Amino acid sequence: MIKSIDMIDLSFVELIKIYFIGAFYDFVSVSYLVIPFAIYLLFLPQRFFNHKFHHYITYIFTYVLLFGAVFLAFSEWFFWDEFSVRFNFIAVDYLVYTKEVIGNINESYPMGILLTVIATIAGILFYFIYKFNYIEDILKSKSNFKQRFKPALLYLLIPVVSFASVTEDFSKISTNQYSNELSKSGLYSLFAAFRNNTLDYDTFYLCDSEKNSLANLKNHVTTSNAVFLNSNDIERNIVNSGEERDYNVVMIVVESLSGKFLESLGGEKGLTPNLDTLAQKSMFFRNFYATGTRTVRGMEAITLSTPPTPGSSIVKRPDNHNMYSSGFIFRNKGYETKFIYGGYGYFDNMNEFFSNNGFDIVDRAKFNGEEDTFHTVWGVCDEDLLNKTIKEADSSYRAHKPFMSFVMTTSNHRPYDYPNGRIDIPSHTGREGAVKYTDFAIGDFLKKAKEKPWFKNTIFVIVADHCAVSAGKVDLPLDKYNIPMIIYAPEILKPQNIDKVSSQIDIMPTIFGLLNWSYKSKFYGKNILDPSFEQRALISTYQKLGLYKENKLSILSVGRKIQSYEVLKHDVFMTEYKDVSTDMSVKDEILGYYQGASSLHKKRLDRYEN
């Protein structure tokens, strides 16, 4: 609350709601935690109640519970500081990739001091509980199994009933999303994220008939140069007349590059001098949106041109081989395709996804000692990454092969460490420094690339994977999805500002349009440069699915709900909405995209066939 004091309603009624609902969630969370001790006490033979072993078990359990509670409180503070929400599916992912996360925590925070403080606070709490005989009352009990059965049954029934009946919907006490997040309990939110990491669309979301949703989807993905091939999916031939081009493509996907960091988008001054200058020499997409809030969401949207579907990203799902990927299309045109990443690609299942969808892998394991001059737990610094990108491009050029490189940066990520002496902000001082360093690295990369023989025949795409922060006062705040996209090719393309509303699913169809390719497509995106392009953006969390079109945002949510808002004010820093009714045409379109995509994925009709 202190961290977000300017973002919440501090009325007495709102505060009562926050603390009352929060206490309820705390009660539910604790009911889960006492299960093992309740079972232990229920079945402990009566003769052991005065045994030292029982005393030690009780003391240890009590201290561990207190330590965990204090540790959780500290963890929630740092998580809120980073994401402005309670624990969610991001925290679940962090529990899976412990090596990177623990390394990141050690590099970002003074863990020795923090753990000492946590242990001390837990010890003080334990002392007062011991002093006031709360533990001794348990140890002196002489009850038999029959006497213990009823209270034990109650302790065990409470979490069962809670699991079946309590949801995060109880926290929706306000139109202010910060208040809703504050009213949750971090531990319960973590439990809920485990439960909801996979969501079946048909079970939880508003549905139309399958026939109608597919028809509506086809209506919105069709173009004047498209011919549908099947009645049961969206496969179509995209036909362009004239000579096809074989320009190289270097796609630099920048970690957490919010629109607010670029002065050229109305954002902060002085953080991205290279990108702001580059925007004036490029196709600059000024009304462009990320589809989600995680790197893997950006990856799936760019490579597959697919809408975000509920639950975890396709990149992280087990059944994600041979998707209808842009990598296969590039390869069919004779390109060398590479996923170039400064970290270890097993993180978030990246290597598994890219290697089975048309890309060769160049991750940190492929960097030799000379190529890795500086790194954090997340990966090599962006300079090293982009120098490696140049080497890989040189290799393809020598082999007389056009190339497509998907390059994923890491430096703009906590702990915000980077080589000293590059910029005027010291390393390890915060997000602003990391943004400016990444901007420096991109500028340095382009200077070096200009000296290469392949430069004049190369299209450079610079786009963010997602914004730095995703939380806001409302569900799906547009400013937290507003990202830059720059397409730079001074020998090929004329500079221009493009203000059409569009999103990451439109990147590959736009690139293929610049290359004037004819190809088979199962993409959901379209060529932004086509004069008939229908402006809209698809944005989401792992549960909320949004369509932004004609200054209105419509959102599908769990419980078969749909809500629409008119956008009153919007820039890269803030968004203001008001509730409006949902038009039938908007309902048809949003169900077409999300129900249609989920259905085709479930039926495996989004796969690649050569």
Side-chain angles (χ1 to χ4, degrees):
M1 184 177 289
I2 292 171
K3 184 73 178 175
S4 309
I5 198 74
D6 295 330
M7 305 300 292
I8 61 174
D9 177 10
L10 284 177
S11 69
F12 178 76
V13 173
E14 190 87 344
L15 291 175
I16 291 296
K17 288 180 181 178
I18 288 172
Y19 280 101
F20 179 80
I21 297 297
F24 171 73
Y25 277 122
D26 283 343
F27 172 77
V28 172
S29 300
V30 171
S31 76
Y32 294 146
L33 295 179
V34 300
I35 290 173
F37 198 62
I39 294 173
Y40 166 74
L41 290 176
L42 174 62
F43 292 105
L44 183 69
Q46 191 172 2
R47 65 181 181 275
F48 284 108
F49 265 83
N50 290 322
H51 199 281
K52 285 186 178 180
F53 172 81
H54 172 50
H55 290 215
Y56 291 146
I57 290 291
T58 304
Y59 291 147
I60 291 170
F61 178 81
T62 304
Y63 182 78
V64 168
L65 197 63
L66 291 170
F67 183 91
V70 179
F71 184 88
L72 187 73
F74 274 71
S75 301
E76 282 198 83
W77 169 265
F78 292 121
F79 194 83
W80 188 282
D81 184 51
E82 179 84 4
F83 300 105
S84 298
V85 293
R86 295 285 193 184
F87 291 138
N88 58 13
F89 70 104
I90 298 175
V92 175
D93 286 349
Y94 279 7
L95 291 176
V96 174
Y97 296 100
T98 52
K99 178 182 177 182
E100 285 77 6
V101 173
I102 292 173
N104 181 41
I105 291 170
N106 284 329
E107 291 174 353
S108 302
Y109 306 110
M111 287 305 297
I113 295 173
L114 286 173
L115 289 173
T116 301
V117 171
I118 291 168
T120 302
I121 294 173
I124 292 170
L125 292 171
F126 179 85
Y127 170 77
F128 281 107
I129 290 174
Y130 180 83
K131 183 178 180 180
F132 288 102
N133 294 322
Y134 293 126
I135 299 177
E136 293 302 316
D137 289 342
I138 295 175
L139 296 177
K140 291 176 182 179
S141 173
K142 302 294 184 181
S143 58
N144 57 38
F145 178 83
K146 186 176 181 181
Q147 291 170 320
R148 283 179 256 142
F149 181 77
K150 288 183 179 179
L153 183 63
L154 178 62
Y155 273 114
L156 296 174
L157 276 176
I158 290 173
V160 172
V161 172
S162 298
F163 185 83
S165 59
V166 177
T167 71
E168 287 197 298
D169 288 344
F170 287 41
S171 67
K172 295 177 181 178
I173 60 173
S174 170
T175 56
N176 186 313
Q177 195 63 19
Y178 280 89
S179 295
N180 293 340
E181 287 294 327
L182 285 168
S183 69
K184 297 176 183 178
S185 158
L187 186 58
Y188 180 82
S189 296
L190 190 63
F191 288 147
F194 269 109
R195 293 175 64 185
N196 298 326
N197 209 27
T198 301
L199 292 171
D200 179 69
Y201 182 94
D202 294 342
T203 302
F204 293 100
Y205 291 87
L206 187 66
C207 292
D208 198 349
S209 70
E210 195 170 291
K211 179 180 178 181
N212 285 347
S213 69
L214 180 59
N216 288 322
L217 176 59
K218 283 189 169 186
N219 184 47
H220 289 289
V221 301
T222 191
T223 54
S224 59
N225 62 343
V227 179
F228 285 102
L229 301 177
N230 303 299
S231 60
N232 63 340
D233 63 18
I234 59 170
E235 186 175 20
R236 56 205 184 276
N237 277 330
I238 304 294
V239 181
N240 287 305
S241 59
E243 184 180 357
E244 294 190 353
R245 306 177 182 101
D246 62 352
Y247 301 136
N248 308 308
V249 178
V250 176
M251 172 123 13
I252 303 174
V253 182
V254 182
E255 171 70 41
S256 304
L257 187 65
S258 303
K260 70 178 183 179
F261 296 137
L262 273 72
E263 185 178 350
S264 49
L265 283 177
E268 301 175 35
K269 294 182 179 180
L271 287 183
T272 55
N274 290 292
L275 291 177
D276 288 326
T277 300
L278 191 66
Q280 300 172 19
K281 303 174 182 179
S282 308
M283 285 185 173
F284 185 34
F285 296 77
R286 296 161 47 89
N287 212 351
F288 195 77
Y289 296 86
T291 60
T293 60
R294 297 297 312 282
T295 296
V296 286
R297 282 296 188 196
M299 288 176 168
E300 73 174 16
I302 295 169
T303 56
L304 305 179
S305 182
T306 185
T309 48
S312 59
S313 163
I314 290 173
V315 174
K316 299 185 66 175
R317 297 178 190 175
D319 186 22
N320 66 6
H321 295 187
N322 296 314
M323 305 294 296
Y324 204 89
S325 164
S326 53
F328 291 128
I329 296 174
F330 274 107
R331 282 191 172 180
N332 271 348
K333 298 290 185 179
Y335 279 61
E336 289 192 345
T337 55
K338 297 174 183 177
F339 169 59
I340 306 176
Y341 178 50
Y344 293 111
Y346 65 79
F347 182 77
D348 269 350
N349 207 44
M350 294 179 193
N351 282 357
E352 182 73 11
F353 172 77
F354 278 96
S355 64
N356 287 284
N357 286 287
F359 291 85
D360 292 328
I361 304 299
V362 182
D363 71 348
R364 187 173 168 182
K366 302 287 181 67
F367 285 67
N368 62 40
E370 293 180 354
E371 293 170 333
D372 178 1
T373 67
F374 184 97
H375 63 259
T376 69
V377 69
W378 293 113
V380 301
C381 66
D382 288 349
E383 285 174 275
D384 290 345
L385 172 71
L386 293 170
N387 287 335
K388 183 71 167 178
T389 300
I390 288 176
K391 287 186 177 181
E392 294 297 329
D394 289 344
S395 174
S396 296
Y397 180 78
R398 288 193 298 269
H400 304 290
K401 290 277 191 178
F403 56 86
M404 189 279 168
S405 299
F406 187 110
V407 185
M408 184 70 230
T409 75
T410 61
S411 289
N412 187 23
H413 195 296
R414 192 179 293 276
Y416 311 128
D417 282 349
Y418 43 86
N420 287 316
R422 304 304 200 266
I423 58 173
D424 56 1
I425 302 175
S427 175
H428 202 70
T429 56
R431 173 78 73 179
E432 288 75 15
V435 171
K436 193 164 188 177
Y437 169 71
T438 293
D439 174 82
F440 164 81
I442 292 173
D444 181 65
F445 164 74
L446 290 174
K447 286 179 186 177
K448 293 175 180 176
K450 284 180 181 178
E451 304 301 318
K452 298 296 182 178
W454 44 261
F455 175 81
K456 293 182 179 181
N457 199 49
T458 301
I459 295 173
F460 299 89
V461 183
I462 301 170
V463 65
D465 55 353
H466 56 82
C467 282
V469 176
S470 59
K473 285 187 174 182
V474 294
D475 290 334
L476 304 186
L478 285 172
D479 55 292
K480 301 302 190 295
Y481 292 83
N482 204 165
I483 59 173
M485 184 170 78
I486 296 169
I487 300 181
Y488 174 65
E491 303 293 328
I492 300 169
L493 304 174
K494 293 182 179 180
Q496 59 177 305
N497 287 335
I498 297 169
D499 292 319
K500 297 178 182 179
V501 176
S502 49
S503 71
Q504 289 166 323
I505 67 171
D506 302 309
I507 294 177
M508 283 304 177
T510 302
I511 297 301
F512 292 160
L514 291 172
L515 298 173
N516 200 44
W517 283 359
S518 296
Y519 61 99
K520 282 186 180 181
S521 174
K522 292 185 181 181
F523 291 162
Y524 295 80
K526 299 161 83 169
N527 181 359
I528 305 169
L529 303 176
D530 189 324
S532 63
F533 178 77
E534 189 176 3
Q535 298 186 52
R536 51 87 192 96
L538 301 172
I539 63 176
S540 74
T541 64
Y542 74 111
Q543 286 189 337
K544 307 282 186 180
L545 310 172
L547 170 68
Y548 174 46
K549 184 176 183 179
E550 296 175 352
N551 212 43
K552 292 182 180 178
L553 176 66
S554 297
I555 301 174
L556 296 172
S557 56
V558 171
R560 302 186 183 276
K561 300 173 184 175
I562 185 169
Q563 177 65 55
S564 294
Y565 306 90
E566 181 182 349
V567 181
L568 301 177
K569 293 181 181 179
H570 167 47
D571 59 27
V572 291
F573 292 105
M574 55 80 66
T575 309
E576 289 185 10
Y577 297 137
K578 76 170 184 180
D579 290 5
V580 295
S581 59
T582 303
D583 296 337
M584 184 58 68
S585 61
V586 171
K587 180 181 175 182
D588 288 342
E589 183 171 357
I590 193 171
L591 293 182
Y593 276 116
Y594 290 112
Q595 182 184 348
S598 297
S599 175
L600 293 178
H601 181 68
K602 188 184 295 186
K603 295 178 179 179
R604 298 177 59 84
L605 292 174
D606 54 0
R607 308 294 158 148
Y608 182 80
E609 296 178 6
N610 193 344

